[in-house]
Amino acid sequence: MVQVLYYQSPMGWFEIKGSHLGISSVKRVEEPGENSLAANELLVDAARQLDEYFHRERKDFEILLDWGDNPTFSQLVWMELLKIPYGETRTYSGIAKKLGHPKAVRAVGLANRNNPIAIIVPCHRVIARSGELQGYFYGLDMKRRLLELENPERFAIQGTLF
């Protein structure tokens, strides 16, 4: 049985879904809905770990994930995303090469776009080969904010010195 828990982060509300198998969805929502009665321990733990992440107290998530019946290639991409260290980035083409499908750059991008477990499965750490921020389903501003949270020296927007 799928349960739901809403978590308010410094970057907005997130809906966390899961069951005894693991977390199946973390997505940003405009406003919270109703939490499941007696949300299971996995959901509460996921909210705690997300809170630690947003407060720079956690770099790695330690939680069970439930990929459901998503396509195998997407699952392979998401498992590769889990290997990207905190504060670092990889390119879409680099991930395609790692998976042994160097021409599958668009398929990697599509898998990123369809990632159901935002933040925990860090699709925000994938950028264009040129180094540009590209393609994030919550917008490039949110992507930059997440990258800046993880690596403020590299991703902070630079001001002008007078």
Side-chain angles (χ1 to χ4, degrees):
M1 181 166 116
V2 175
Q3 294 185 324
V4 180
L5 180 71
Y6 290 88
Y7 159 68
Q8 186 173 18
S9 80
M11 295 186 190
W13 283 98
F14 283 87
E15 176 190 77
I16 306 167
K17 288 184 179 179
S19 68
H20 68 284
L21 297 174
I23 300 302
S24 57
S25 173
V26 174
K27 68 178 185 177
R28 192 165 179 234
V29 293
E30 289 299 316
E31 56 187 55
E34 286 191 36
N35 289 327
S36 296
L37 294 176
N40 76 35
E41 214 173 290
L42 280 173
L43 295 176
V44 172
D45 191 38
R48 179 185 58 78
Q49 290 188 39
L50 283 165
D51 196 59
E52 292 169 354
Y53 167 82
F54 282 113
H55 290 95
R56 291 191 172 122
E57 297 166 358
R58 173 175 292 278
K59 293 182 178 182
D60 298 303
F61 292 93
E62 299 166 0
I63 194 136
L64 293 173
L65 302 176
D66 178 6
W67 303 120
D69 60 356
N70 285 292
T72 302
F73 185 79
S74 293
Q75 291 181 39
L76 292 171
V77 170
W78 301 332
M79 286 186 266
E80 198 61 38
L81 299 181
L82 290 169
K83 297 175 187 175
I84 304 172
Y86 180 92
E88 295 185 22
T89 57
R90 298 293 182 267
T91 63
Y92 297 98
S93 59
I95 290 172
K97 287 176 190 170
K98 269 267 212 218
L99 294 173
H101 300 281
K103 295 183 179 182
V105 176
R106 287 190 176 150
V108 168
L110 184 60
N112 264 20
R113 182 172 154 220
N114 293 325
N115 171 17
I117 310 174
I119 315 298
I120 294 173
V121 178
C123 56
H124 61 277
R125 294 180 188 156
V126 183
I127 61 174
R129 187 175 19 175
S130 67
E132 294 291 316
L133 301 187
Q134 204 175 47
Y136 191 58
F137 48 76
Y138 296 127
L140 295 183
D141 182 56
M142 177 73 152
K143 186 171 191 165
R144 175 172 291 287
R145 288 175 66 196
L146 291 168
L147 292 171
E148 182 180 352
L149 173 80
E150 295 182 11
N151 190 338
E153 291 178 13
R154 181 170 176 208
F155 291 101
I157 296 174
Q158 301 299 311
T160 304
L161 296 175
F162 292 97

